[in-house]
Amino acid sequence: MQQISLLLASLPDGILLGFVYGVAAMGLTLIWGVMNVINLSHGPIIALGMFGTYLIFFKLGLNPYLGLFLVAPLGLLLGILIYVVAVHRVINAPHLSSLLATFSVNMIIIGLGTAAFTTSPYNVDFNMGSVSLGSTTLLGTRLIAALAAVIATGSLYLFLYRTRPGKYIRAVANNRSAAELMGIPSSRILALSFGLGTMLAAISGALIATFFPFSILSGGGYELKSFVIGVLGGLGNPVGALIGGLTLGVLEAVIPAFMETSWVPVIEFGLFILVLLVRPNGLFGAKQ
Amino acid sequence: MSLLEVRDVTSGYGEVQILWGASMKLDEGKLTCLVGGNGAGKTTMLRSVMGLLKPWSGSVWFQGQDVSRMPAYTKAEMGLVLVPEGRQLFTDMSVYENLEMGASNKRARPHVKKNLEKVYAMFPRLLERHTQKAGTLSGGEQQMLAVARGIMADPVVLMIDELSLGLAPLLVLQLFEGLRALRDAGLTIMLVEQNVQMALAISDYGYVLAEGKSGIEGPARQLIKDKHVREAYLGL
Ligand SMILES: Nc1ncnc2c1ncn2[C@@H]1O[C@H](COP(=O)(O)OP(=O)(O)OP(=O)(O)O)[C@@H](O)[C@H]1O
Ligand SMILES: [Mg+2]
C-alpha cells in the first residue's frame, strides 16, 4: 500500500522526465538515422545545454525557458561546426573512425568545460510553482519541460515531413548518392542533420538543468540513457525515441518503489541488452 | 553542337582501373545509346560523367563547359540528369515525394506542375499510387518511378542506365515509346541498354564500349548492320 502511494507520487514525475529523455535520444537517433554515425559527443553537448541554461539564468537574468530560444540556435551552429571540422572527413570511413572523431570532440568539450566551470556541481534554482492533482504534485518546471519536449518533437516531425529541407534530410538518409544525383547537396544536408541532432541534445540538457544539479561531466549518464532509449525505440526513429524516453522515465519512477535505487541502471542496461538480443531493430520498429 | 562530350576518361575503383579511355559525344535533341557486354564499364562511365566517381584523367564537357571536377548535385542543377542503375529510389518516401525530390534543383522547381502532368500522363499508374511508399511498388512500377523522377529534374540531358532490365516486354515497349516521344519533343537522351537490338532500333546514334574502351560507333542504323556488333551483341 505504501509502495502504491509512493508510486503514484513519483510516476507523473517520471513520465514528465521521460519526455525530456526522449528529446535527448532523438538527437542521437537522428544523427544515426541520417548518416550512421554514433555521436559520442552527445553527452558533453547535453552538459553544454545545462550550462547554457545556467549562464542565461544567472548572467543574463532570463527565464530559462525563454533561454531555449538562444540555446537551440547555438546548439544548431555548434553541431554544424562539429560536423564540418570533425565528422565530414570520416563520413564514408568505417564506423571506428567516426567513433574516434566524435570521441575526440567529446574530450575537447569536457576539457574546455572543465577549464571554464571546473567539475564541481552547479544548480539552477528555478521555481515555477507546482500543480496538485489529488495526492500527487506536479512541479511546474517539469510540466513546462515536458511541454517544451513535446513541442520540440512535433516541430522535428513537421520539419522532416512537411518542409523542403526536412524532406532532403529524409532523402539523404534514405539514399545519399541518389539524392546527390537529384541535385541535393548531400554534404550540406548532413551538416544540417548533425546540427539538428546537436540542437536536440542541447535543448534536453537545458531542460534537465532545472531539475537536478549538474556538472560538465553530467552528460555521460544522459548519453547512456539516450543509447538505451534509442535501442528501445529503434535507432533512427524520432517517435520511437519519444516512446522509449517515456518508457525509461516510467521505469526510473517505478523501480525505486520496489527496490534500491541503485538497481535502476542495472535494470535499464539489462533491458538494453535484452532488446538488442531479441529485437535488434527496436521495440517500435526502425528504418532499415 | 554536342551538348555533352566525354573525352578519353579513365577511372576505376580504388586501385582497380575500369575505364581505359572512354569517349562519347551527345548531339542535341538526339537519342544516343551506349552498349557493351556485362562489366564493360558502362555504369562506371556514367558514374564518372556525373562525378559520383572522380575521373582519373580525361574530361567531361557539358554545354561547352568543363564539368569534370564538379560534384554530381551541381551537374544535376545544370540539367545533366542520371537515372541510375538499380533505380535507387527513396524507398522510405512516397511516390509523390520521390517525384518532388526529383525536382529539388532550382531549375526544375518552377516547372513542377508541368512536369508532374507530363509524368502522370506518361505513367498513369504512378498517379494511382502516389501516396504509396516507393519501396513497396512492383519492380516495373519502380522503374517507371525512377524514369519519372529523372524527368521531374527537368533535364537538358537525360541519361538512363538499364531501362529495360527485368521488365515485361510490353512495358519495355511502352517505355521505349515514351523515350522516343521525349526525344521528338527535343530532349537529348542517352540510353544504356542490355537490350541492344531494341536500343539500336530506336536510337539515332550508338557507341560500343568494350573492356573500358570506346570502340565502334556510328549511326544506329549502321551499327545494327555491323558484322562485329551483330556477332558480339546481337548473337546473330
Ligand atoms: N564499387 C565497385 N568496386 C569495385 N569494382 C567495381 C565496382 N563497381 C563495379 N566494379 C567493377 O567494374 C567493372 C565494370 O562494372 P560496370 O558496372 O561499370 O559494368 P557495366 O558495363 O555497367 O555492366 P552491366 O551491363 O552488367 O551493368 C566490373 O568488372 C565490376 O565488377
Ligand atoms: Mg551497368
Side-chain angles (χ1 to χ4, degrees):
Chain A
M1 199 54 225
Q2 196 202 343
Q3 278 165 346
I4 300 287
S5 64
L6 197 69
L7 198 64
L8 278 182
S10 53
L11 196 57
D13 258 2
I15 292 176
L16 295 180
L17 186 57
F19 280 108
V20 181
Y21 286 171
V23 173
M26 230 174 277
L28 191 75
T29 225
L30 178 72
I31 290 173
W32 167 261
V34 174
M35 61 197 88
N36 285 31
V37 165
I38 299 276
N39 178 17
L40 290 183
S41 61
H42 187 66
I45 289 163
I46 294 177
L48 284 184
M50 295 169 168
F51 279 96
T53 295
Y54 173 81
L55 292 176
I56 282 160
F57 185 54
F58 285 105
K59 302 283 165 182
L60 300 182
L62 280 177
N63 178 310
Y65 298 105
L66 282 179
L68 284 179
F69 291 99
L70 215 58
V71 171
L74 288 177
L76 180 71
L77 290 179
L78 176 65
I80 292 174
L81 181 71
I82 294 175
Y83 178 83
V84 171
V85 173
V87 182
H88 186 63
R89 271 156 247 269
V90 293
I91 195 76
N92 293 318
H95 284 312
L96 184 60
S97 308
S98 56
L99 282 172
L100 287 173
T102 55
F103 186 68
S104 315
V105 175
N106 165 85
M107 295 310 287
I108 291 170
I109 297 178
I110 288 184
L112 292 176
T114 307
F117 304 110
T118 74
T119 53
S120 41
Y122 284 68
N123 203 357
V124 176
D125 246 330
F126 184 69
N127 202 331
M128 299 273 297
S130 56
V131 186
S132 291
L133 278 178
S135 62
T136 60
T137 349
L138 301 178
L139 289 175
T141 47
R142 293 213 179 183
L143 273 175
I144 294 197
L147 185 68
V150 171
I151 292 173
T153 311
S155 316
L156 177 67
Y157 190 85
L158 286 179
F159 180 73
L160 291 177
Y161 284 84
R162 292 275 181 273
T163 72
R164 183 173 281 281
K167 288 182 186 186
Y168 289 173
I169 289 180
R170 287 166 57 222
V172 168
N174 203 173
N175 191 327
R176 199 183 306 163
S177 65
E180 190 90 357
L181 285 178
M182 294 302 123
I184 300 173
S186 65
S187 304
R188 265 178 252 168
I189 296 299
L190 291 176
L192 173 66
S193 313
F194 203 93
L196 286 172
T198 303
M199 179 181 91
L200 290 166
I203 289 177
S204 71
L207 293 173
I208 295 171
T210 56
F211 303 169
F212 310 116
F214 55 86
S215 78
I216 192 69
L217 301 175
S218 300
Y222 297 102
E223 179 170 325
L224 290 176
K225 285 186 208 300
S226 300
F227 281 122
V228 177
I229 295 165
V231 166
L232 281 178
L235 279 167
N237 175 354
V239 181
L242 193 66
I243 301 174
L246 288 173
T247 312
L248 208 69
V250 168
L251 275 181
E252 289 188 1
V254 170
I255 293 169
F258 300 99
M259 45 188 116
E260 293 283 335
T261 310
S262 50
W263 279 95
V264 169
V266 178
I267 299 204
E268 278 176 7
F269 286 98
L271 195 68
F272 176 75
I273 291 169
L274 189 73
V275 172
L276 277 183
L277 287 175
V278 182
R279 296 216 39 185
N281 282 336
L283 291 180
F284 311 106
K287 69 154 233 169
Q288 207 102 114
Chain B
M1 188 198 83
S2 56
L3 266 184
L4 179 73
E5 189 175 344
V6 182
R7 288 186 198 156
D8 224 16
V9 163
T10 67
S11 182
Y13 303 91
E15 299 279 284
V16 187
Q17 183 162 0
I18 303 293
L19 294 182
W20 298 83
S23 301
M24 184 176 70
K25 273 186 190 175
L26 297 194
D27 285 331
E28 189 165 357
K30 293 285 194 291
L31 208 170
T32 307
C33 72
L34 175 68
V35 299
N38 291 118
K42 305 180 294 293
T43 300
T44 306
M45 177 155 170
L46 294 185
R47 294 173 60 87
S48 309
V49 167
M50 283 311 293
L52 290 178
L53 209 60
K54 293 268 172 291
W56 294 359
S57 69
S59 56
V60 179
W61 297 74
F62 182 58
Q63 293 178 310
Q65 200 181 342
D66 184 353
V67 297
S68 318
R69 303 276 140 206
M70 285 184 187
Y73 75 87
T74 315
K75 287 178 198 160
E77 196 113 277
M78 294 169 74
L80 185 57
V81 175
L82 171 65
V83 175
E85 187 177 48
R87 301 171 192 130
Q88 308 290 333
L89 296 174
F90 303 116
T91 48
D92 292 338
M93 301 174 86
S94 71
V95 168
Y96 177 75
E97 284 176 325
N98 268 272
L99 295 173
E100 219 181 355
M101 291 299 98
S104 21
N105 73 72
K106 282 194 209 77
R107 227 171 17 81
R109 270 186 240 165
H111 310 296
V112 169
K113 213 168 150 244
K114 180 195 78 190
N115 286 331
L116 260 184
E117 277 167 18
K118 191 152 113 189
V119 298
Y120 282 149
M122 205 168 158
F123 308 111
R125 185 71 71 84
L126 295 181
L127 180 58
E128 287 166 30
R129 309 200 160 258
H130 73 283
T131 56
Q132 192 173 327
K133 259 196 189 177
T136 62
L137 293 174
S138 79
E141 289 165 346
Q142 292 196 12
Q143 188 66 23
M144 294 180 205
L145 181 54
V147 174
R149 187 180 61 174
I151 295 171
M152 289 302 293
D154 212 49
V156 175
V157 170
L158 181 64
M159 306 189 288
I160 306 181
D161 197 353
E162 305 293 6
L163 180 70
S164 71
L165 197 70
L167 301 183
L170 197 64
L171 179 61
V172 175
L173 219 56
Q174 206 182 324
L175 280 168
F176 274 96
E177 279 310 316
L179 282 193
R180 217 203 302 242
L182 287 173
R183 190 266 321 265
D184 292 342
L187 184 62
T188 308
I189 304 177
M190 182 171 105
L191 191 58
V192 167
E193 260 301 325
Q194 295 280 327
N195 192 335
V196 178
Q197 173 96 45
M198 229 170 163
L200 287 174
I202 68 155
S203 297
D204 302 302
Y205 202 82
Y207 288 87
V208 176
L209 192 71
E211 290 169 357
K213 269 201 283 274
S214 298
I216 312 165
E217 61 168 274
R221 247 176 305 155
Q222 280 175 26
L223 280 189
I224 228 170
K225 288 191 220 128
D226 184 278
K227 184 164 167 286
H228 175 73
V229 172
R230 287 170 73 89
E231 277 170 10
Y233 302 106
L234 300 176
L236 299 171

